[in-house]
């Protein structure tokens, strides 16, 4: 008898290197557990737009000048070409932004669109608010599951008692592979589904490792 499969919703902003690390772990989880990932967009720009005066100047500049474009392009691609392109485009964007060190440039976005066979002129939506209502709705769907005190990624899965289990993270580097990925998944679900559990955290001593 085949094992029933679980759908995990993964809310990401392609600009975030830590979400990128977690997303590569989720691809490993798909290989070692009966899990299918449903990729969705959330936005650091939307999350922080009402508290820009509270964030460091360098981060504020990034939010104001770089954070809107990539998520707008992903949402436009989703609206015009379907949900199935979201995960593929995220992989192409993240590979260029993070692994290749290109950053969220217009050239990198156009190149990522080309990589997955989407029209390169979708990159023009980086400067358009055409689908901002859909972007905000997708963001709110994700952040509404965990609260405003976290960032990206947000992961949501069906819980053991039928209720949804949603959490921020995990924040991890380098990406766990194989059985290590499976253990982290099992442990994350265990603590996240514990009534009254909220947080485990320690100081980061290493940056993202884009192997």
């Amino acid at each position: 008898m085949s094992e029933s499969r679980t759908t995990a919703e993964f809310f990401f902003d392609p600009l975030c290197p830590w979400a990128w690390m977690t997303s590569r772990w989720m691809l490993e989880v798909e290989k070692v557990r009966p899990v299918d990932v449903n990729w969705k967009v959330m936005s650091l720009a939307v999350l922080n737009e009402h508290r820009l005066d509270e964030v460091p100047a360098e981060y504020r500049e990034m939010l104001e000048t770089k954070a809107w474009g990539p998520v707008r392009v992903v949402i436009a691609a989703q609206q015009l070409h379907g949900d199935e392109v979201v995960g593929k485009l995220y992989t192409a964007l993240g590979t260029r932004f993070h692994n290749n060190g290109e950053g969220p440039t217009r050239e990198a976005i156009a190149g990522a669109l080309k990589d997955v066979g989407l029209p390169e002129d979708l990159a023009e939506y980086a400067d358009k608010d055409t689908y901002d209502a859909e972007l905000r709705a997708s963001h709110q769907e994700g952040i509404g599951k965990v609260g405003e005190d976290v960032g990206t990624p947000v992961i949501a899965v069906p819980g053991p008692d039928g209720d949804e289990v949603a959490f921020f993270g995990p924040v991890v580097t380098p990406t766990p592979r194989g059985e290590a990925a499976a253990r982290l998944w099992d442990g994350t679900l265990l603590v996240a589904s514990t009534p009254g559990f909220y947080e485990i955290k320690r100081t980061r001593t290493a940056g993202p490792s884009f192997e």
Side-chain angles (χ1 to χ4, degrees):
M1 185 175 181
S2 62
E3 191 172 4
S4 61
R5 301 191 66 82
T6 296
T7 297
E9 295 182 316
F10 189 102
F11 293 83
F12 66 92
D13 186 318
L15 200 62
C16 178
W18 292 104
W20 175 246
M21 298 300 302
T22 308
S23 73
R24 301 309 91 181
W25 164 67
M26 283 304 303
L27 293 182
E28 284 291 306
V29 171
E30 282 190 312
K31 299 175 185 177
V32 295
R33 289 291 184 265
V35 173
D36 299 307
V37 181
N38 186 10
W39 304 97
K40 297 187 174 184
V41 173
M42 62 181 293
S43 169
L44 292 173
V46 173
L47 180 66
N48 292 284
E49 64 181 345
H50 298 305
R51 55 191 184 199
L52 288 174
D53 58 341
E54 302 173 10
V55 303
E58 183 177 353
Y59 188 53
R60 180 168 62 249
E61 181 183 7
M62 183 275 293
L63 291 171
E64 293 176 329
T65 62
K66 299 178 181 179
W68 284 100
V71 288
R72 279 174 164 169
V73 171
V74 176
I75 283 289
Q78 180 189 40
Q79 293 299 309
L80 296 173
H81 297 275
D83 293 342
E84 64 274 8
V85 305
V86 175
K88 296 176 182 178
L89 181 54
Y90 180 31
T91 289
L93 289 168
T95 298
R96 285 180 174 270
F97 289 2
H98 306 300
N99 292 57
N100 298 350
E102 297 177 41
T105 64
R106 181 62 63 88
E107 293 76 17
I109 293 172
L113 290 164
K114 183 178 180 180
D115 291 341
V116 296
L118 289 170
E120 292 179 57
D121 60 7
L122 281 172
E124 297 175 6
Y125 284 95
D127 300 320
K128 298 178 179 180
D129 62 2
T130 308
Y131 296 109
D132 276 11
E134 290 80 1
L135 171 60
R136 291 178 181 277
S138 183
H139 170 82
Q140 189 55 46
E141 180 187 358
I143 207 68
K145 298 175 185 295
V146 291
E148 298 283 342
D149 296 331
V150 303
T152 176
V154 168
I155 301 175
V157 297
D161 57 357
D163 294 333
E164 185 176 64
V165 175
F167 50 89
F168 161 69
V171 177
V172 61
T173 187
T175 299
R177 305 289 182 183
E179 186 56 29
R183 289 197 303 270
L184 179 57
W185 176 251
D186 295 342
T188 300
L189 293 188
L190 177 63
V191 296
S193 61
T194 299
F197 173 82
Y198 292 105
E199 185 173 2
I200 291 177
K201 191 172 184 178
R202 61 179 176 177
T203 300
R204 301 176 197 170
T205 58
S209 175
F210 307 124
E211 72 274 38

